[in-house]
Amino acid sequence: MGYGSYLIRRLLYTIPIIFGISVLIFILTRVIPGDPVKLALGPDATPDMIAQARRIWNLDKPLHMQYIAFIVGFFTGDWGISLRTYNNVLADLARFAPATYELTAVAVSFSALVGILTGIVAATHKDKWQDHISRILSIGGVSMPLFWSGIMLQLLIASYFKLLPIGGRIGDGVTPPVHVTGFYLLDSLFSGNWIAFWSCAQHIILPAFVLSFPSLANINRLVRSAMIDQRSKDYVILQEANGMPRRLIVYKYMLKNSLASAITMIALMFAYSLGGVALVEAVFFWPGMGNYLVQAIHFKDFNAIMSVVVLVGIIIVAANFLVDLLYGYLDPRIRYGEER
């Protein structure tokens, strides 16, 4: 199978996945108890006002027509009106998404750096105390719920020791930096607003640290396993026999050959972290897309819920698609294996 055929086949696989995500979230939003129109208009709304709102928001149409209208609008840029903010959902997400992407980028960068370093230490000290600590941290990172670890760190670091802010994106009374990228850390650097940069850096540490737990644990385990596997390779044994320094063998050869799978995992972690960011943003009052989703669920905001979930689903599917393409390009056995 040629690479072009492999690419087309993988692309076709993504279509039913995205379709399934959209159908599933559409059904779930419709079975949530409560009337979103009454919640949006308030207790003083008259029956005529409710009926008019249903017509405006297309909630008076059959379910299949509502679904078709959502899909057509989603791919044409009309994501509907939020029942909570009364703004276009796309405009809302354009305002909240940069905060989520910044938080996720910092979390994934931290998890990649620390995960690779701790994986190297664990592999080079196999079955010693460094390795045991690394295993405990990995198990804890995978098993601890994000909201629980977030609350514990808030109580310990922010409330008891008062070392960092308990939540938010920037301190009260601090002027946000001039909008350039939407990333407060970068924008404050570009504008030379060091007060805003320091405030933003303090506020992002705890939520980014909590969000990085699962990614850090997975990267740590992956690098450790790959490094241990490399130790038994013939080229390592030969280099050690020739007297090559151990540090050079580890960092120049073993690490290089162990990073291929880790880099792939890091590429996926950005997309997967978006799936858990709602819990972290809700705990730390982070004004991002995840917090926007939580508020939309409380108000049964159909358009906002579906738009956020489908958008995150597309990002995750796209990340998997790109990784599949990378694997297929680097290792032809993968794409040829589909023919057998």
Side-chain angles (χ1 to χ4, degrees):
M1 182 189 300
Y3 188 67
S5 300
Y6 173 79
L7 187 152
I8 293 173
R9 174 170 293 193
R10 301 308 301 179
L11 181 61
L12 292 176
Y13 286 162
T14 65
I15 296 176
I17 296 175
I18 296 174
F19 174 74
I21 292 172
S22 63
V23 171
L24 179 61
I25 192 60
F26 178 84
I27 294 174
L28 290 177
T29 55
R30 265 54 183 182
V31 299
I32 299 176
D35 189 336
V37 177
K38 292 181 180 179
L39 287 173
L41 298 181
D44 297 330
T46 64
D48 290 339
M49 294 170 60
I50 294 174
Q52 183 179 5
R54 290 186 186 279
R55 288 193 298 270
I56 294 174
W57 290 326
N58 293 324
L59 295 178
D60 60 332
K61 297 181 179 179
L63 289 180
H64 69 280
M65 295 299 296
Q66 294 182 35
Y67 175 76
I68 293 174
F70 168 76
I71 290 297
V72 172
F74 186 88
F75 288 103
T76 57
D78 181 11
W79 292 14
I81 302 299
S82 169
L83 307 184
R84 183 176 65 90
T85 66
Y86 300 104
N87 298 325
N88 187 286
V89 174
L90 184 58
D92 280 343
L93 292 184
R95 186 169 76 255
F96 292 117
T100 296
Y101 294 148
E102 181 179 38
L103 175 61
T104 306
V106 172
V108 172
S109 299
F110 175 81
S111 62
L113 177 62
V114 177
I116 290 175
L117 292 177
T118 55
I120 294 171
V121 172
T124 54
H125 297 82
K126 186 175 181 295
D127 295 329
K128 297 181 181 179
W129 65 269
Q130 296 95 329
D131 189 23
H132 296 320
I133 292 177
S134 175
R135 293 181 189 179
I136 294 173
L137 293 177
S138 296
I139 295 173
V142 173
S143 59
M144 284 192 302
L146 292 178
F147 71 89
W148 183 86
S149 56
I151 293 173
M152 292 299 103
L153 286 178
Q154 281 181 325
L155 292 174
L156 181 64
I157 304 298
S159 182
Y160 185 76
F161 290 109
K162 301 185 184 304
L163 296 176
L164 293 170
I166 198 169
R169 194 181 182 192
I170 193 170
D172 295 335
V174 179
T175 303
V178 178
H179 182 89
V180 179
T181 63
F183 287 22
Y184 277 12
L185 291 174
L186 292 179
D187 291 349
S188 57
L189 286 177
F190 293 154
S191 61
N193 189 343
W194 300 109
I195 296 177
F197 177 81
W198 178 242
S199 179
C200 295
Q202 288 180 308
H203 281 78
I204 204 172
I205 290 175
L206 279 184
F209 183 64
V210 171
L211 186 60
S212 69
F213 277 174
S215 302
L216 192 155
N218 286 320
I219 294 172
N220 172 279
R221 293 191 299 174
L222 192 61
V223 172
R224 176 187 178 276
S225 176
M227 291 283 289
I228 291 175
D229 181 65
Q230 290 295 317
R231 287 180 59 182
S232 61
K233 299 295 184 182
D234 292 339
Y235 78 91
V236 174
I237 298 174
L238 179 62
Q239 289 169 343
E240 290 178 340
N242 289 333
M244 183 175 290
R246 179 67 178 173
R247 185 178 298 272
L248 182 62
I249 297 174
V250 171
Y251 289 99
K252 184 176 181 179
Y253 298 102
M254 292 174 59
L255 179 60
K256 180 180 179 181
N257 293 331
S258 302
L259 281 182
S261 55
I263 291 174
T264 303
M265 175 66 71
I266 293 169
L268 288 173
M269 282 303 160
F270 182 85
Y272 289 156
S273 295
L274 291 175
V277 77
L279 292 174
V280 176
E281 290 188 357
V283 170
F284 288 96
F285 322 113
W286 191 263
M289 194 165 57
N291 206 3
Y292 178 76
L293 174 62
V294 172
Q295 297 298 323
I297 293 174
H298 289 165
F299 278 80
K300 200 179 179 182
D301 190 348
F302 289 156
N303 292 328
I305 296 172
M306 292 186 60
S307 297
V308 173
V309 174
V310 173
L311 176 61
V312 173
I314 290 175
I315 293 174
I316 294 175
V317 170
N320 280 276
F321 173 68
L322 292 176
V323 169
D324 285 342
L325 295 188
L326 180 61
Y327 269 139
Y329 178 77
L330 296 177
D331 190 352
R333 294 175 299 177
I334 294 177
R335 59 178 187 262
Y336 291 146
E338 292 195 355
E339 293 182 331
R340 296 196 293 270

